[in-house]
């Protein structure tokens, strides 16, 4: 038996499904997951000693590739001084200053431990600030696993067949209204049906948990205008797009202002970090300044801050990385489209910046309905063939491929050769 399979068998006895996060169980692709022992640059290594070109990149944060020396060295330095203090440190100020410098329309930041926590807290702030209870999210968008956001959710909630989770009280679910991504009229209809009762609209500015779906021209500015008209706060969940579309994230990329922005893993450089930010007026409503309570012993943890700071500083001093990874992703997407055409495989490949995703469907994918209509069994077969040839993709259709600055020309050639084989097989 393969070492990963043996570990999986052992894991299933003590962890639900053998994992600590559902998508990793590979259920959507019907296989046993690879257990990972280490990662370096563009590659991850499994317990059986095989290496793979990795396009999961820890679900996005490893934008500089795995185990980048600048980040590792900062972490090693921080560890020498202690692991957790539960008290303020200078690094927390530095990372907040950096985020405020780089991301438009953010005047204050609160650090937390994950994207889920950032979203949960930003939503509480939006409700506290507006005195309204209802929230609008989009079908197939994923904002972590807080109760309010597990209604028509994407990512592994969708792949696992539970887009609206058990255990979410009916009263909570009732306050989460769902609109359709890229459909402003569906938002307008909710605003009309619940006048004066909606606190916030939360959106992934690029949907990346239904596979990657770009916002259509006018969608994000339209949301901004509708929110302004109705006194509703607009929240960009930039857990995926933040510091990935560019240093300024989606607000900068699309030229649309959000009232609150949530960040996740990428600002931790691989350590568990999240944050939410916005105007001073809004953020000063958070405790201890204001009445919206939110706290955490590990918030601003010194080791996590060291990793995050190192990654963000590296990105700031090497902005050319964004052109490099965007170019790689565009060539990857073009190569995949060409291979699909040669083999007669119906595949629509979406790409924006360094995010890519193939959908096994003949038509263009611009909505959640299009994404959901793609052939997930074909994706599972493709995934298995790619893995066999040494390329690790997300083990589910409704996720993204992430390109890092550690991916090389040789990786691109090897990946496209594997795609050719996979589509032909
Ligand atoms: N929902 C996350 C992916 N979009 C899961 C990440 C993980 O399992 O690490």
């Amino acid at each position: 038996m393969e070492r990963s399979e043996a570990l999986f068998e052992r894991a299933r006895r003590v962890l639900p499904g053998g994992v600590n996060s559902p998508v990793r169980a590979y259920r959507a692709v019907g296989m046993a997951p690879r257990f990972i022992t280490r990662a370096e640059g563009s590659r991850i290594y499994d317990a059986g000693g095989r290496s793979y070109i990795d396009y999961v990149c820890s679900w996005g944060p490893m934008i500089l590739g795995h185990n980048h020396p600048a980040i590792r060295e900062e972490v090693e330095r921080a560890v020498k001084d202690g692991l957790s203090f539960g008290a303020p440190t200078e690094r927390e100020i530095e990372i907040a200053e950096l985020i405020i410098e780089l991301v438009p329309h953010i005047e204050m930041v609160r650090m937390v431990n994950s994207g889920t926590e950032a979203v949960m807290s930003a939503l509480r702030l939006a409700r506290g600030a507006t005195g309204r209870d209802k929230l609008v999210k989009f079908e197939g968008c994923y904002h972590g696993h807080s109760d309010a956001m597990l209604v028509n959710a994407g990512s592994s909630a969708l792949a696992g067949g539970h887009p609206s989770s058990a255990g979410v009280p009916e009263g909570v679910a009732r306050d989460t209204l769902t609109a359709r991504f890229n459909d402003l009229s569906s938002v307008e209809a909710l605003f009309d049906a619940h006048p004066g009762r909606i606190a916030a609209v939360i959106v992934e500015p690029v949907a990346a948990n239904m596979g990657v779906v770009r916002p259509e021209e006018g969608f994000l500015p339209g949301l901004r205008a509708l929110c302004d008209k109705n006194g509703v706060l607009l929240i960009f969940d930039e857990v995926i797009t933040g510091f990935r579309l560019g240093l300024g994230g989606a607000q900068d990329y699309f030229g649309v202002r959000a009232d609150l922005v949530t960040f996740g893993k990428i600002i931790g450089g691989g350590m568990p970090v999240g944050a939410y930010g916005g105007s001073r007026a809004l953020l000063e409503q958070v405790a201890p300044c204001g009445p919206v309570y939110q706290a955490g012993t590990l918030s601003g943890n010194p080791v996590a801050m060291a990793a995050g700071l190192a990654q963000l500083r590296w990105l700031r001093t090497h902005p050319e990385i964004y052109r490099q990874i965007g170019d790689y992703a565009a060539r990857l997407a073009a190569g995949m489209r060409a291979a699909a055409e040669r083999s007669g495989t119906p595949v629509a490949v979406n790409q924006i910046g360094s995010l890519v995703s193939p959908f096994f469907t003949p038509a263009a994918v611009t909505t959640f309905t299009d994404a959901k209509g793609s052939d997930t069994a074909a994706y599972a077969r493709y995934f298995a063939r790619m893995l066999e040839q040494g390329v690790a993709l997300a083990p589910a259709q409704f996720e993204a491929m992430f390109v890092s600055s550690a991916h090389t020309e040789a990786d691109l050639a090897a990946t496209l050769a594997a795609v050719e084989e996979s589509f032909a097989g």
Side-chain angles (χ1 to χ4, degrees):
M1 189 193 281
E2 246 253 34
R3 177 87 180 122
S4 280
E5 280 166 17
L7 286 171
F8 191 43
E9 211 172 279
R10 190 172 139 208
R12 273 189 299 188
R13 288 198 279 272
V14 290
L15 302 166
V19 290
N20 283 309
S21 186
V23 70
R24 301 177 197 174
Y26 277 31
R27 285 197 179 188
V29 291
M31 298 168 70
R34 296 293 183 269
F35 278 66
I36 304 304
T37 51
R38 69 189 181 89
E40 191 74 41
S42 63
R43 293 194 166 256
I44 49 168
Y45 298 79
D46 75 12
R50 283 198 66 189
S51 92
Y52 307 85
I53 303 168
D54 178 32
Y55 292 101
V56 181
C57 288
S58 190
W59 304 93
M62 312 320 289
I63 190 167
L64 305 179
H66 291 284
N67 209 6
H68 192 280
I71 300 175
R72 188 180 59 239
E73 282 158 21
E74 273 308 308
V75 168
E76 283 166 353
R77 249 193 294 279
V79 161
K80 290 200 181 89
D81 292 329
L83 302 183
S84 176
F85 313 133
T89 66
E90 190 171 348
R91 285 198 188 92
E92 293 165 81
I93 313 171
E94 290 173 333
I95 199 163
E97 286 172 346
L98 199 49
I99 292 171
I100 290 163
E101 174 198 319
L102 296 173
V103 183
H105 313 298
I106 293 191
E107 294 173 337
M108 288 189 119
V109 176
R110 169 58 64 86
M111 304 304 299
V112 292
N113 297 289
S114 69
T116 289
E117 206 185 326
V119 165
M120 183 181 83
S121 312
L123 294 175
R124 184 179 305 138
L125 172 54
R127 284 169 155 161
T130 58
R132 301 171 175 185
D133 286 342
K134 296 205 180 287
L135 306 167
V136 173
K137 76 177 284 292
F138 293 89
E139 208 183 5
C141 280
Y142 182 74
H143 304 287
H145 63 88
S146 65
D147 281 353
M149 292 294 100
L150 283 184
V151 176
N152 292 317
S155 186
S156 40
L158 177 64
H162 302 286
S164 297
S165 172
V168 173
E170 213 185 300
V172 173
R174 213 179 300 126
D175 280 334
T176 303
L177 311 169
T178 314
R180 289 186 297 277
F181 191 76
N182 275 337
D183 180 353
L184 286 174
S185 68
S186 69
V187 180
E188 221 167 346
L190 292 175
F191 283 6
D192 289 347
H194 305 273
R197 302 199 57 201
I198 297 171
V201 171
I202 184 164
V203 66
E204 291 182 83
V206 173
N209 286 284
M210 51 174 93
V212 175
V213 178
R214 303 175 73 108
E216 279 176 353
E217 190 79 38
F219 177 61
L220 296 173
L223 274 186
R224 178 69 271 171
L226 277 177
C227 286
D228 284 343
K229 194 171 142 205
N230 292 276
V232 172
L233 296 175
L234 179 60
I235 306 177
F236 275 7
D237 179 344
E238 297 230 40
V239 168
I240 301 289
T241 50
F243 296 97
R244 179 158 280 280
L245 286 185
L247 287 171
Q251 291 190 96
D252 194 37
Y253 193 92
F254 296 109
V256 176
R257 178 181 62 82
D259 297 297
L260 287 168
V261 178
T262 58
F263 295 103
K265 40 208 159 198
I266 200 163
I267 63 167
M271 300 291 286
V273 179
Y276 58 105
S279 68
R280 181 175 303 281
L282 273 175
L283 268 284
E284 281 191 337
Q285 305 214 27
V286 176
C289 297
V292 178
Y293 189 73
Q294 184 266 308
T297 296
L298 292 169
S299 298
N301 171 270
V303 184
M305 292 298 96
L309 260 175
Q311 172 141 298
L312 297 189
R313 281 180 177 150
W314 188 275
L315 289 169
R316 181 178 58 174
T317 51
H318 299 79
E320 71 281 1
I321 281 173
Y322 289 104
R323 190 168 326 122
Q324 180 198 328
I325 59 180
D327 177 60
Y328 185 109
R331 290 161 65 207
L332 185 60
M336 290 166 82
R337 288 183 196 113
E341 204 170 314
R342 277 193 291 277
S343 67
T345 315
V347 183
V349 184
N350 283 0
Q351 177 251 330
I352 178 166
S354 54
L355 300 166
V356 182
S357 78
F359 293 93
F360 287 79
T361 176
V365 175
T366 61
T367 65
F368 177 57
T369 310
D370 299 336
K372 229 174 30 171
S374 61
D375 182 348
T376 52
Y379 182 87
R381 288 193 295 277
Y382 165 69
F383 171 86
R385 288 188 198 121
M386 292 296 281
L387 197 68
E388 189 49 45
Q389 295 173 87
V391 180
L393 304 172
Q397 166 73 81
F398 305 115
E399 304 285 353
M401 278 177 92
F402 295 94
V403 172
S404 79
S405 61
H407 284 108
T408 63
E409 286 296 317
D411 289 335
L412 181 62
T415 304
L416 287 176
V419 168
E420 191 84 45
E421 274 293 309
S422 302
F423 286 172

